[in-house]
Amino acid sequence: MPADRGPGRVVWVTGASSGIGLATALACAARGDRLVLSSRAPGPLEEAARQCRAAGSPDVLVAPLDIGDDDAVRAVGQRARQRFGRLDVVVQNAGVAAYGRIDEVPAEVLEALFRTNVLGAAHVAGEAVRTFREQGDGVLVVVGSVLGRLTVPWMGAYNASKFALRGLVRTMQQENRDVPGLRISLVAPGGVDTPIYDQSATVLGRRNRPPYPVASPEDVAAKVLRAADTDQRWHRELDAGWANPAMKAAFGLAPGLFDALSRPAMRLLGFAPGRRPSGPGNVLAPQPDGERLRQRR
């Protein structure tokens, strides 16, 4: 974010009631930033706002939002500008996941996942860029995934959405080079201890878990702030996970071996003991009881 703004910037975080989004909001609050918090779950969002005020944010706007609705995204952007006069940083973090072979994932789940992870991200990014171009400056940080650079079995819908998201971000970086004060970054986590695994859709009837090595949501939030604070325009993509470079290299340099090992590795690392009912999780509608900073133990 612009170096001369310091604490007290206006930061809009989507998916702010849970996981990485909540950790990012709390980290910004501790720095004295003014916040716009959005997610689909109003109750947990109010609790997130309470925590942010307690952590040091002087002003928090609670703005429930389904990012798949472009009109609603634009309306929140307008509310934020009316309240604070500008936006300095937008963190597009909201996302959902689904487990199962592509041919087994119900069509309505597949469509809803892409509506959130790709179209919704595009709506938020578009609103951010329109605002920043008008202002002449601003920072957009999009939270993607290492699965935008490599694939694993039984997460094909999520893989595809994160590949699309990375393409979206790279294109927007190219398109907005004419505004020197406008910066766009992608943060790509590996496994993170967040509720997305408990909340995901599944047709497998198995419990999901973040694969080793597992980062904390605070670790990823620190990378988000680093991306937002970095002035260099070349700082386009940040990994959040020490194993990400090795996994990306293996996927690109030894694809046959990577594919052969991916199924047993996913069975060992991607699923926890025990069963859970198959169903849409929070893909079709929010599950407020599942909103928290970390995965349920």
Side-chain angles (χ1 to χ4, degrees):
M1 77 193 49
D4 61 347
R5 291 210 170 268
R9 294 145 304 200
V10 181
V11 183
W12 180 11
V13 183
T14 68
S17 59
S18 187
I20 295 168
L22 177 56
T24 299
L26 289 170
C28 290
R31 292 159 56 129
D33 291 332
R34 295 169 289 170
L35 298 173
V36 182
L37 304 183
S38 292
S39 80
R40 295 178 298 168
L45 198 59
E46 290 286 356
E47 171 58 20
R50 185 196 65 78
Q51 294 181 43
C52 287
R53 294 185 186 104
S57 177
D59 197 352
V60 181
L61 172 62
V62 176
L65 173 67
D66 181 344
I67 64 171
D69 182 341
D70 188 39
D71 290 338
V73 169
R74 289 175 182 250
V76 171
Q78 183 177 18
R79 284 182 63 197
R81 292 189 297 274
Q82 288 173 342
R83 172 80 161 258
F84 299 112
R86 62 177 289 117
L87 281 170
D88 295 305
V89 181
V90 174
V91 180
Q92 164 41 36
N93 163 76
V96 294
Y99 282 77
R101 285 200 332 251
I102 286 288
D103 60 293
E104 295 179 327
V105 175
E108 65 271 20
V109 170
L110 190 64
E111 291 167 4
L113 184 147
F114 274 86
R115 187 164 57 249
T116 295
N117 291 6
V118 182
L119 295 178
H123 296 156
V124 174
E127 179 64 13
V129 165
R130 285 188 293 270
T131 298
F132 297 155
R133 291 185 70 89
E134 182 177 338
Q135 294 176 175
D137 67 356
V139 183
L140 169 64
V141 182
V142 178
V143 179
S145 172
V146 70
L147 296 185
R149 298 292 295 271
L150 59 95
T151 62
V152 295
W154 303 298
M155 292 195 74
Y158 187 80
N159 289 333
S161 73
K162 295 303 180 179
F163 267 72
L165 184 62
R166 184 168 184 268
L168 174 76
V169 171
R170 288 293 287 115
T171 303
M172 295 186 80
Q173 288 168 340
Q174 294 166 342
E175 291 173 344
N176 290 282
R177 289 176 60 85
D178 61 315
V179 182
L182 196 168
R183 293 183 290 104
I184 302 172
S185 295
L186 179 74
V187 173
V192 187
D193 182 11
T194 75
I196 193 171
Y197 303 94
D198 295 325
Q199 297 263 62
S200 64
T202 184
V203 298
L204 302 177
R206 302 187 63 178
R207 289 188 60 216
N208 316 310
R209 64 181 174 190
Y212 179 85
V214 181
S216 71
E218 293 89 350
D219 291 336
V220 183
K223 288 295 179 79
V224 170
L225 291 186
R226 180 180 169 191
D229 288 345
T230 302
D231 288 331
Q232 292 92 340
R233 290 178 64 86
W234 49 263
H235 208 72
R236 295 184 176 92
E237 184 171 342
L238 279 173
D239 275 308
W242 59 263
N244 288 12
M247 291 190 293
K248 291 187 293 187
F251 182 78
L253 298 175
L257 179 62
F258 188 97
D259 289 356
L261 295 176
S262 62
R263 289 171 67 90
M266 186 65 176
R267 288 194 181 101
L268 177 65
L269 300 175
F271 299 105
R275 309 289 293 178
R276 58 168 287 204
S278 294
N282 73 342
V283 175
L284 302 182
Q287 296 183 324
D289 290 345
E291 301 283 301
R292 54 178 56 86
L293 187 62
R294 291 178 172 80
Q295 189 177 30
R296 182 183 295 111
R297 302 302 181 190

